[in-house]
Amino acid sequence: MSRVTPPLDNVIYLIALGVAMSLKKFTAAGAALALSLGLAACGSDDPAAEGDAAPTPISVYYTSPLAGYSIIQVADDQDLFPDDIDVSVEGGDSTVGVTLASSGRVQMYLNTAPMTENIAHGGAALAWAATWTEGMNTLFIGRNGVESLEDMKGRSLGIVQPGLTLSVIANDALIDAGLSQDDYKSVSLGTVPALAGAFAAGTVDGVVLDRITAQRLLSEVDGSVELFDYYDGTPFVGSGVSVNTDWLEENPEAATSFLEGLQAALDFMSENPEEAKKSISAMTGITDAAALDAAYQDFMDHSTDTLMPVSEEQMNASMRMLRNEGNDWATDEFGASVVIDPSYVEQALER
């Protein structure tokens, strides 16, 4: 009689099963032992076990729920990021964003100048990776007889809190108009909605707000006027993404893939306006159809067709703005040090 020798993997499985059965009773632990040894012998369908790398996780935080950052919502909603990365998105609170970016607990941080610059000066490994704007999409508006930036002398300026973007760029415009910070009173209000509410109520004379909110107030508040348009007036980074540079050194391909996904989102928004509006609504909370149309059009009017590296002109403008606040460390050389190599954007656009 011929003797059939079972394959080695079957032998190992049977041995494992025998070990399990030798227990007082065939417990769940015994079954697990048999199964695990059997799978180890027979192989696994898990791609990671066959040598395929798992997607690189990327945590993202956006600083404010504004349409200018909706690019990340679109990329997430439409699954536009390449398969080699696993992106998780949170955001909406600028204070939380600063904390997470400063501590290195997020790899990508969507924000506006000079937040990245300030955080990097504080010692964080953070630098600008890309932008999709050529300026700050904000307006300086006034009321109560204020008809020019010079008229803010002796008046009250509403801000969220000192050091945040809206207050810094407000001071920058007023200093350029010939005023000093002693010439007007800054009133901290804590949040953007509170800032808008104070302007509507007439308790402050001037504010800087995102274009959508500012235009709404201009249409609702009698005697209110636009004093300065930052998008046309100053080449700041209005919306962009910065990257943790320690992480970047270890994950250059993942960083490029992330930028590739953002470019795909820009393309998608241009070609699919109705779907893009759904993502804008999800991020901003805007539900009114006319307001959504305006928010979408505002994004398209003030965004570039392709991602761009942050330019020397943009960084020099940011450094000048910070020096106007009394920050002697804000040299053009420092500005150049907080921008990553433009080849990351170039490679993302080539894919």
Coordinates of all heavy atoms in Angstrom, one line a residue, residues 258-297:
F258 N 0.2 63.7 -1.1 CA -0.8 64.6 -0.5 C -1.0 65.8 -1.4 O -2.2 66.2 -1.7 CB -0.3 65.0 0.9 CG -1.3 66.0 1.5 CD1 -2.4 65.5 2.2 CD2 -1.1 67.3 1.5 CE1 -3.3 66.3 2.8 CE2 -2.0 68.2 2.1 CZ -3.1 67.7 2.8
L259 N 0.0 66.4 -1.9 CA -0.1 67.6 -2.8 C -0.8 67.2 -4.1 O -1.6 68.0 -4.6 CB 1.3 68.2 -3.0 CG 2.0 68.8 -1.8 CD1 3.4 69.3 -2.2 CD2 1.2 69.9 -1.2
E260 N -0.5 66.0 -4.6 CA -1.2 65.5 -5.8 C -2.7 65.5 -5.5 O -3.5 65.9 -6.4 CB -0.7 64.1 -6.1 CG -1.3 63.5 -7.4 CD -0.9 62.1 -7.6 OE1 0.1 61.6 -6.9 OE2 -1.4 61.4 -8.5
G261 N -3.1 65.0 -4.3 CA -4.6 65.0 -4.0 C -5.2 66.4 -4.0 O -6.3 66.6 -4.4
L262 N -4.5 67.4 -3.4 CA -5.0 68.7 -3.4 C -5.1 69.3 -4.8 O -6.1 70.0 -5.1 CB -4.0 69.6 -2.6 CG -4.0 69.4 -1.1 CD1 -3.1 70.5 -0.4 CD2 -5.4 69.4 -0.5
Q263 N -4.2 69.0 -5.7 CA -4.3 69.4 -7.1 C -5.6 68.8 -7.7 O -6.3 69.4 -8.5 CB -3.1 69.1 -7.9 CG -3.2 69.5 -9.4 CD -3.4 71.0 -9.5 OE1 -2.7 71.9 -8.9 NE2 -4.5 71.4 -10.3
A264 N -5.8 67.5 -7.5 CA -7.0 66.8 -8.0 C -8.2 67.5 -7.5 O -9.2 67.6 -8.2 CB -6.9 65.4 -7.6
A265 N -8.2 68.0 -6.3 CA -9.4 68.7 -5.7 C -9.6 70.0 -6.4 O -10.8 70.4 -6.7 CB -9.2 68.9 -4.2
L266 N -8.5 70.7 -6.7 CA -8.7 72.0 -7.5 C -9.3 71.7 -8.8 O -10.2 72.4 -9.3 CB -7.3 72.7 -7.7 CG -6.8 73.5 -6.5 CD1 -5.4 74.0 -6.9 CD2 -7.7 74.7 -6.2
D267 N -8.9 70.7 -9.5 CA -9.4 70.3 -10.8 C -10.9 69.9 -10.7 O -11.7 70.3 -11.5 CB -8.6 69.2 -11.4 CG -7.2 69.5 -11.8 OD1 -6.9 70.7 -11.9 OD2 -6.3 68.6 -11.8
F268 N -11.2 69.1 -9.7 CA -12.6 68.7 -9.4 C -13.5 69.8 -9.2 O -14.6 69.9 -9.7 CB -12.6 67.7 -8.3 CG -14.0 67.1 -8.0 CD1 -14.3 65.9 -8.6 CD2 -14.9 67.7 -7.2 CE1 -15.6 65.4 -8.4 CE2 -16.2 67.2 -7.0 CZ -16.5 66.0 -7.6
M269 N -13.1 70.8 -8.4 CA -13.9 71.9 -8.1 C -14.2 72.8 -9.3 O -15.4 73.3 -9.5 CB -13.3 72.8 -7.0 CG -13.1 72.1 -5.6 SD -12.4 73.2 -4.4 CE -13.8 74.2 -3.9
S270 N -13.3 72.9 -10.2 CA -13.5 73.6 -11.4 C -14.5 72.9 -12.3 O -15.3 73.6 -13.0 CB -12.2 73.8 -12.1 OG -12.4 74.5 -13.4
E271 N -14.4 71.6 -12.4 CA -15.2 70.8 -13.3 C -16.6 70.4 -12.7 O -17.5 70.0 -13.5 CB -14.4 69.6 -13.7 CG -13.1 69.9 -14.5 CD -12.2 68.8 -14.6 OE1 -12.5 67.7 -14.1 OE2 -11.1 69.0 -15.1
N272 N -16.7 70.4 -11.4 CA -18.0 69.9 -10.8 C -18.5 70.9 -9.7 O -18.4 70.6 -8.5 CB -17.7 68.5 -10.1 CG -17.1 67.5 -11.1 OD1 -17.9 66.8 -11.8 ND2 -15.8 67.4 -11.2
P273 N -19.0 72.0 -10.2 CA -19.4 73.0 -9.2 C -20.5 72.6 -8.2 O -20.4 72.9 -7.0 CB -19.9 74.2 -10.1 CG -20.2 73.6 -11.4 CD -19.2 72.4 -11.5
E274 N -21.4 71.8 -8.6 CA -22.5 71.4 -7.7 C -22.0 70.5 -6.6 O -22.3 70.6 -5.4 CB -23.7 70.7 -8.4 CG -24.4 71.7 -9.4 CD -24.8 73.0 -8.7 OE1 -25.4 72.9 -7.6 OE2 -24.6 74.0 -9.3
E275 N -21.1 69.5 -6.9 CA -20.5 68.7 -5.9 C -19.6 69.5 -5.0 O -19.5 69.2 -3.8 CB -19.7 67.5 -6.6 CG -20.6 66.5 -7.3 CD -21.6 65.8 -6.3 OE1 -21.1 65.4 -5.2 OE2 -22.8 65.7 -6.6
A276 N -18.9 70.4 -5.6 CA -18.0 71.3 -4.8 C -18.7 72.1 -3.8 O -18.3 72.2 -2.6 CB -17.2 72.2 -5.7
K277 N -19.9 72.5 -4.2 CA -20.7 73.3 -3.2 C -21.2 72.5 -2.0 O -21.3 73.0 -0.9 CB -22.0 73.9 -4.0 CG -21.6 75.0 -4.9 CD -22.9 75.4 -5.7 CE -22.5 76.3 -6.9 NZ -23.7 76.6 -7.8
K278 N -21.4 71.2 -2.3 CA -21.8 70.3 -1.2 C -20.7 70.2 -0.1 O -20.9 70.3 1.1 CB -22.1 68.9 -1.7 CG -23.4 68.8 -2.5 CD -23.6 67.4 -3.1 CE -24.8 67.4 -4.0 NZ -25.0 66.0 -4.6
S279 N -19.4 70.2 -0.6 CA -18.3 70.1 0.3 C -18.1 71.5 1.0 O -17.8 71.5 2.2 CB -17.0 69.7 -0.5 OG -17.1 68.4 -0.9
I280 N -18.3 72.6 0.3 CA -18.2 73.9 0.9 C -19.3 74.0 2.0 O -19.0 74.5 3.1 CB -18.4 75.0 -0.2 CG1 -17.2 75.0 -1.1 CG2 -18.6 76.4 0.5 CD1 -17.3 76.0 -2.3
S281 N -20.5 73.5 1.7 CA -21.5 73.6 2.7 C -21.1 72.7 4.0 O -21.3 73.2 5.1 CB -22.8 73.1 2.1 OG -23.9 73.0 3.1
A282 N -20.6 71.5 3.7 CA -20.2 70.7 4.8 C -19.1 71.3 5.7 O -19.1 71.2 6.9 CB -19.7 69.3 4.3
M283 N -18.2 72.1 5.1 CA -17.1 72.7 5.9 C -17.6 74.0 6.6 O -17.3 74.2 7.7 CB -15.9 73.0 5.0 CG -14.9 73.9 5.6 SD -13.3 74.0 4.8 CE -12.6 72.4 5.3
T284 N -18.4 74.8 5.9 CA -18.7 76.2 6.4 C -20.0 76.2 7.1 O -20.2 77.2 7.9 CB -18.8 77.2 5.2 OG1 -19.8 76.8 4.3 CG2 -17.4 77.2 4.4
G285 N -20.9 75.3 6.9 CA -22.2 75.3 7.4 C -23.2 76.2 6.6 O -24.4 76.4 7.0
I286 N -22.8 76.7 5.5 CA -23.6 77.5 4.6 C -24.6 76.6 3.9 O -24.3 75.6 3.3 CB -22.8 78.3 3.6 CG1 -21.9 79.3 4.2 CG2 -23.8 79.0 2.6 CD1 -20.9 79.9 3.2
T287 N -25.9 76.9 4.0 CA -27.0 76.1 3.4 C -27.8 76.8 2.4 O -28.4 76.2 1.5 CB -27.9 75.5 4.5 OG1 -28.5 76.6 5.3 CG2 -27.1 74.5 5.4
D288 N -27.9 78.2 2.5 CA -28.6 79.0 1.6 C -28.0 78.8 0.2 O -26.8 79.0 0.0 CB -28.7 80.4 2.0 CG -29.4 81.3 1.0 OD1 -30.6 81.3 1.0 OD2 -28.7 82.0 0.3
A289 N -28.9 78.6 -0.8 CA -28.4 78.3 -2.2 C -27.6 79.5 -2.7 O -26.6 79.3 -3.3 CB -29.6 77.9 -3.1
A290 N -28.2 80.7 -2.6 CA -27.5 81.9 -3.1 C -26.1 82.1 -2.4 O -25.2 82.5 -3.0 CB -28.4 83.1 -2.9
A291 N -26.1 81.9 -1.1 CA -24.9 82.1 -0.3 C -23.8 81.0 -0.8 O -22.6 81.3 -0.8 CB -25.1 82.0 1.2
L292 N -24.3 79.8 -1.0 CA -23.4 78.8 -1.5 C -22.8 79.1 -2.9 O -21.6 78.9 -3.1 CB -24.1 77.4 -1.5 CG -24.0 76.5 -0.3 CD1 -24.7 75.2 -0.5 CD2 -22.5 76.2 0.0
D293 N -23.7 79.6 -3.7 CA -23.2 80.0 -5.1 C -22.1 81.1 -4.9 O -21.1 81.1 -5.6 CB -24.4 80.6 -5.9 CG -25.3 79.5 -6.3 OD1 -25.0 78.3 -6.3 OD2 -26.5 79.9 -6.7
A294 N -22.4 82.1 -4.0 CA -21.4 83.1 -3.8 C -20.1 82.6 -3.2 O -19.0 83.0 -3.6 CB -22.0 84.2 -2.9
A295 N -20.2 81.7 -2.3 CA -19.0 81.1 -1.7 C -18.2 80.3 -2.7 O -16.9 80.4 -2.7 CB -19.3 80.2 -0.5
Y296 N -18.8 79.6 -3.5 CA -18.1 78.8 -4.6 C -17.5 79.7 -5.6 O -16.3 79.6 -5.9 CB -19.1 77.9 -5.3 CG -18.5 77.2 -6.5 CD1 -17.6 76.2 -6.4 CD2 -18.8 77.8 -7.8 CE1 -17.1 75.6 -7.6 CE2 -18.2 77.2 -8.9 CZ -17.4 76.1 -8.8 OH -16.8 75.6 -9.9
Q297 N -18.2 80.8 -6.0 CA -17.6 81.7 -7.0 C -16.5 82.5 -6.4 O -15.5 82.7 -7.1 CB -18.7 82.6 -7.5 CG -18.3 83.4 -8.7 CD -17.9 82.5 -9.9 OE1 -18.7 81.6 -10.2 NE2 -16.8 82.6 -10.5

